[in-house]
Amino acid sequence: MSDTVPLAGVIGWPIGHSLSPKVHGHWLARYGLAGAYVPLGVREADFEGALAALPNLGFVGANVTMPHKERAFVLADERSAMATRLGAANTLVFDPDKGVVADNTDGFGFIENLREAQPGWHAGAGPVTVLGAGGAARAVIVALLEAGVPELRLLNRTASRAEALRDEIAPEVTVLDWAGAEDALAGAALVVNATSMGMAGGPEMTLDLHEIGPGTIATDIVYARGETPFLSAAKARGARVVDGFGMLLHQARPGFERWFGRAPEVDDALRRAVLG
Ligand SMILES: NC(=O)c1ccc[n+]([C@@H]2O[C@H](COP(=O)([O-])OP(=O)(O)OC[C@H]3O[C@@H](n4cnc5c(N)ncnc54)[C@H](OP(=O)(O)O)[C@@H]3O)[C@@H](O)[C@H]2O)c1
């Protein structure tokens, strides 16, 4: 290794579950690039100190995950338009001249995954229904609106959170009642589960999904080794389904390219390397 081998990593707490080191490790090996990508378990109280130290340790950037996404945004020296709209960052570049440059690539990953899996989908295809109003839902909703979706229905168990999301970043969305999910699902061209229902160790999927039909594309941002309950239910009703694993893979692309200088590909070999 020379003195200038680029280092990157994912900062979070807890971090042991993160698949990002496998994603970037696969790409580094596949393209024969010098560099390393490591998990960085950093507690909330230590985040600012870690962020200040990393560039001096040879890091060219980092991904940021729970619970640091908002703090990373605040501490950055420069922010992309997407990070600014969301008030949260997941990808940082340590630039010798500009300092910490923050971006948010979750929405990019969501749209790229959808387009890869369902090339026939386009923003004008019909109404979109998004379930959930947490951090990931914010990125998904902004990406869908920027893609040109004309009608976006949003419902969340806690209505006030959906209303706050609308008021803060997406005045175009229509907030509907969680208890009336059938109405929100009826006639939707695309339905997105952006709640944590169905994630391993998380809450069960309890929503009545019978209004999803053969004309619908259903996509889950929750990823699991097998099919998630949301996707199984949608498939049983004839919908075309898109899993959330691809979103995780695609959101990693911009960071890798900026840190290591090569645009990476999402393909079956990557999926096998990360899941295997
Ligand atoms: N594929 C990817 O690349 C990717 C990227 C980011 C996140 N994710 C996944 O997306 C999921 C959400 O992440 P997040 O960061 O947005 O989490 P978050 O900010 O904690 O939001 C959780 C969401 O799930 C809802 N929820 C939780 N328990 C529920 C229940 N029992 N019934 C109904 N709704 C419930 C919450 O509703 P309330 O507001 O009512 O609590 C909220 O809308 C996680 O599984 C995460 O792993 C995937």
Side-chain angles (χ1 to χ4, degrees):
M1 280 197 179
S2 79
D3 288 341
T4 56
V5 169
L7 303 176
V10 55
I11 314 173
W13 188 270
I15 202 61
H17 66 283
S18 174
L19 295 175
S20 294
K22 281 189 178 174
V23 175
H24 291 274
H26 171 83
W27 281 332
L28 284 168
R30 173 179 172 166
Y31 301 122
L33 298 172
Y37 184 103
V38 291
L40 296 161
V42 175
R43 289 173 198 270
E44 221 161 341
D46 298 323
F47 180 69
E48 191 164 349
L51 192 60
L54 286 174
N56 300 325
L57 297 169
F59 280 76
V60 291
N63 287 122
V64 187
T65 187
M66 296 272 282
H68 305 307
K69 287 183 169 187
E70 286 79 16
R71 192 83 189 118
F73 171 79
V74 170
L75 292 171
D77 299 297
E78 273 193 20
R79 303 160 186 92
S80 70
M82 182 58 94
T84 302
R85 188 158 177 192
L86 296 173
N90 75 340
T91 303
L92 305 176
V93 173
F94 304 147
D95 185 289
D97 302 318
K98 297 177 184 165
V100 176
V101 180
D103 193 8
N104 195 310
T105 65
D106 279 337
F108 168 85
F110 173 79
I111 293 286
E112 289 289 298
N113 181 43
L114 182 58
R115 289 197 167 130
E116 183 200 330
Q118 291 293 331
W121 180 81
H122 60 98
V128 175
T129 301
V130 175
L131 312 172
R138 293 170 86 90
V140 165
I141 286 167
V142 168
L144 285 166
L145 292 173
E146 290 198 350
V149 164
E151 182 187 344
L152 199 152
R153 309 162 179 171
L154 170 61
L155 48 161
N156 193 49
R157 176 182 60 174
T158 310
S160 57
R161 204 171 176 196
E163 286 156 5
L165 187 159
R166 177 197 60 202
D167 295 347
E168 286 167 27
I169 58 166
E172 306 94 320
V173 309
T174 305
V175 174
L176 295 172
D177 192 5
W178 186 249
E182 307 92 82
D183 295 341
L185 294 171
L190 175 69
V191 178
V192 185
N193 176 38
T195 73
S196 45
M197 287 192 290
M199 74 182 273
E204 278 179 36
M205 169 53 72
T206 50
L207 217 53
D208 181 352
L209 301 170
H210 78 266
E211 280 293 345
I212 292 181
T216 306
I217 296 172
T219 181
D220 203 337
I221 71 160
V222 170
Y223 49 85
R225 276 187 189 276
E227 210 161 58
T228 61
F230 171 73
L231 293 184
S232 298
K235 205 187 232 180
R237 287 163 179 77
R240 287 162 287 158
V241 301
V242 180
D243 73 45
F245 189 53
M247 173 178 169
L248 174 84
L249 303 178
H250 281 284
Q251 66 77 30
R253 284 168 40 205
F256 187 88
E257 183 172 5
R258 284 173 214 154
W259 304 322
F260 301 114
R262 162 107 197 211
E265 285 146 90
V266 170
D267 57 14
D268 287 343
L270 175 68
R271 286 174 194 268
R272 281 195 302 275
V274 177
L275 278 179

